[in-house]
Amino acid sequence: MTTPRKIVIIGSGPAGYTAAIYAARANLAPLMFTGVQYGGQLMLTTLVENYPGFVDGIQGPELMETMQKQAAHFGTEMINDDVTAVDFTRRPFVVTAGAQTYEAQTVVIATGASSKLLGVPGESKLMGRGVSTCATCDGFFFKGQELAVVGGGDSALEEAMFLTKFATKVTVIHRRDTLRASKIMQDRARKNEKIAWIWDSTIDEVLGTTQGKVSGARVRNLKTGAVTELPLGGLFVAIGHTPNTQIVAGQMELDAGGYIVTASGSTRTSVAGVFAAGDVADHIYRQAVTAAGTGCMAAIDAERYLEAQGSH
């Protein structure tokens, strides 16, 4: 085990990279575990038009590569391994990646959240080519098209209503005959003339792999077994997110959905010296720019914590 690091950052989306940039410029010599799948959810997107500073937009992977270079430029040490375990019961903290263990005075958790996917043929091949998990990110690209949203909760209806600003028609496909969404959201969605409903149904396949973009979906009625083809320009999957908090479970306070609980207006967690940034602690906004903002906050919170401990 090497000398304890002042700060270890776990995860490498906008939150992790921004935390690294700020920590490096504060002379904290950050060590970052990017993970094997570095860059977070933006690696699954194509054109990002709502990140400030890019008039013509920027490809998601390119944005992450730019942030990675900026963090490295200021001296962030990066290890392309997944963290497999942490021990927050002892000081300094212990972070394990494979066979290696590292000690840290502070830790920033920026492991993000993963969109739950349908797991059907065509879905992964057409991700970013008509299949999306974020209406706010991608709705604009579907002007004048017919779309579908899969899901029955508040987020599914929010996505559907947002998409009616661009689409000619939005069909909500739900596996049950009742929605989980709140009453107010249901009322709003039902009043929207552009929203259609397909009940008791699931998607068997996303169509369009030969053309390289979504052309429709094969929909199966779970009660009758009948299969129909629904022509579509885009498919939005809104069946929830899973925060990537497996490594910290049981060591800090998580909410009912498994997200890390942070103090209001801060990135502080229930463990002093451990901070959380990005989607791992955010089930409301889930945007690249908000993740970057909390990454900045986490680095500043960690720096102030170290100063109070007399370690910086």
Side-chain angles (χ1 to χ4, degrees):
M1 205 175 303
T2 53
T3 312
R5 307 299 291 246
K6 284 183 177 172
I7 185 167
V8 166
I9 298 163
I10 305 172
S12 63
Y17 284 137
T18 307
I21 291 163
Y22 273 79
R25 295 187 75 254
N27 290 330
L28 297 180
L31 173 64
M32 169 187 253
F33 291 93
T34 62
V36 176
Q37 290 183 305
Y38 71 93
Q41 292 186 72
L42 279 180
M43 299 303 281
L44 301 174
T45 62
T46 48
L47 191 64
V48 177
E49 288 192 323
N50 56 7
Y51 197 87
F54 299 94
V55 178
D56 299 315
I58 183 169
Q59 296 291 316
E62 187 188 348
L63 179 60
M64 289 300 88
E65 194 180 317
T66 304
M67 286 193 190
Q68 187 260 338
K69 285 177 179 168
Q70 192 175 357
H73 173 73
F74 290 112
T76 303
E77 183 185 343
M78 298 182 192
I79 296 176
N80 296 338
D81 279 340
D82 287 323
V83 169
T84 47
V86 293
D87 186 354
F88 294 152
T89 61
R90 46 171 292 186
R91 307 287 165 129
F93 305 122
V94 177
V95 177
T96 305
Q100 296 290 316
T101 54
Y102 304 82
E103 288 186 330
Q105 290 172 287
T106 64
V107 174
V108 172
I109 302 163
T111 47
S114 304
S115 296
K116 292 178 184 170
L117 298 174
L118 302 169
V120 298
E123 180 184 38
S124 60
K125 275 192 178 166
L126 293 169
M127 183 64 69
R129 292 175 170 80
V131 175
S132 172
T133 56
C134 180
T136 317
C137 316
D138 299 330
F140 181 79
F141 302 122
F142 294 91
K143 282 183 174 174
Q145 299 188 45
E146 292 196 3
L147 308 175
V149 174
V150 183
D154 276 354
S155 61
L157 297 195
E158 273 175 33
E159 302 254 299
M161 286 190 289
F162 181 81
L163 290 168
T164 60
K165 294 179 184 180
F166 311 103
T168 52
K169 179 183 176 184
V170 178
T171 303
V172 175
I173 301 167
H174 187 41
R175 58 185 305 117
R176 298 183 184 84
D177 58 3
T178 54
L179 297 163
R180 293 190 317 278
S182 59
K183 182 78 167 63
I184 191 165
M185 290 297 292
Q186 291 193 44
D187 290 344
R188 281 184 198 157
R190 287 179 199 278
K191 282 178 188 158
N192 193 313
E193 292 175 1
K194 281 190 176 181
I195 295 179
W197 308 86
I198 296 179
W199 304 103
D200 300 310
S201 296
T202 187
I203 287 180
D204 275 357
E205 185 183 357
V206 184
L207 306 172
T209 49
T210 48
Q211 302 98 303
K213 66 184 178 97
V214 169
S215 63
R218 194 164 280 128
V219 181
R220 179 165 49 90
N221 186 297
L222 294 169
K223 287 192 172 168
T224 65
V227 176
T228 53
E229 284 192 10
L230 183 68
L232 296 169
L235 177 72
F236 288 76
V237 181
I239 55 175
H241 289 77
T242 305
N244 301 323
T245 50
Q246 298 87 337
I247 57 165
V248 300
Q251 297 196 58
M252 58 173 37
E253 187 185 350
L254 306 177
D255 70 10
Y259 291 84
I260 297 173
V261 175
T262 53
S264 181
S266 157
T267 62
R268 291 192 311 274
T269 68
S270 60
V271 179
V274 179
F275 307 90
D279 289 13
V280 76
D282 171 22
H283 53 82
I284 299 169
Y285 303 106
R286 289 198 287 256
Q287 299 300 303
V289 69
T290 51
T294 54
C296 160
M297 290 164 63
I300 292 172
D301 285 344
E303 184 186 7
R304 288 177 180 166
Y305 172 85
L306 288 167
E307 279 172 357
Q309 303 292 307
S311 306
H312 177 42

